[in-house]
Amino acid sequence: MKRYKELFSFPQVITLGIAAFPARLAYGMIGLGIFFKAEQSTGSFAIAGFAIGLNSLAGAVTAGIRGSVMDRWGQKWPL
C-alpha cells in the first residue's frame, strides 16, 4: 500500500485515473452485456460464463496486435 500512496501523491496520476475510469467502466460493461445476452438466449449460466471466457481469451490473444496497430498508426486510424 505504501507504493500506491507514493504514486497517488502525484497529481497527474489522479487525473489519469479519473480520465481512464469511464473507458474501463465501458470495457467492463461489454462483458456484462455478453453475459446477459448469452444467458437470456440460452437460459444457461454455464454457457454465459463460457461466452465471457471466450471474450476474455479473444481480448488476450489480440492485445498484442491491437497494441501494435495503435503504436504504428495512432488511435484515429482504427477508430
Side-chain angles (χ1 to χ4, degrees), residues 23-56:
R24 301 300 303 159
L25 186 65
Y27 196 70
M29 290 292 129
I30 293 170
L32 268 175
I34 290 171
F35 176 83
F36 287 126
K37 178 61 179 169
E39 194 276 326
Q40 182 183 24
S41 297
T42 63
S44 170
F45 285 107
I47 292 176
F50 184 69
I52 288 179
L54 287 177
N55 179 52
S56 299

Side-chain angles (χ1 to χ4, degrees), residues 1-2 4 9 11 18 22 24 27 32-34 39 44 46-47 49 52 60-63 72-73 76 78:
M1 291 302 287
K2 182 181 175 190
Y4 285 111
S9 67
I18 291 169
R24 301 300 303 159
Y27 196 70
L32 268 175
I34 290 171
E39 194 276 326
S44 170
I47 292 176
I52 288 179
V61 168
T62 62
R72 184 167 186 161
W73 289 294
K76 290 183 181 179

Side-chain angles (χ1 to χ4, degrees), residues 13-26:
V13 172
I14 294 171
T15 304
L16 180 62
I18 291 169
F21 180 75
R24 301 300 303 159
L25 186 65

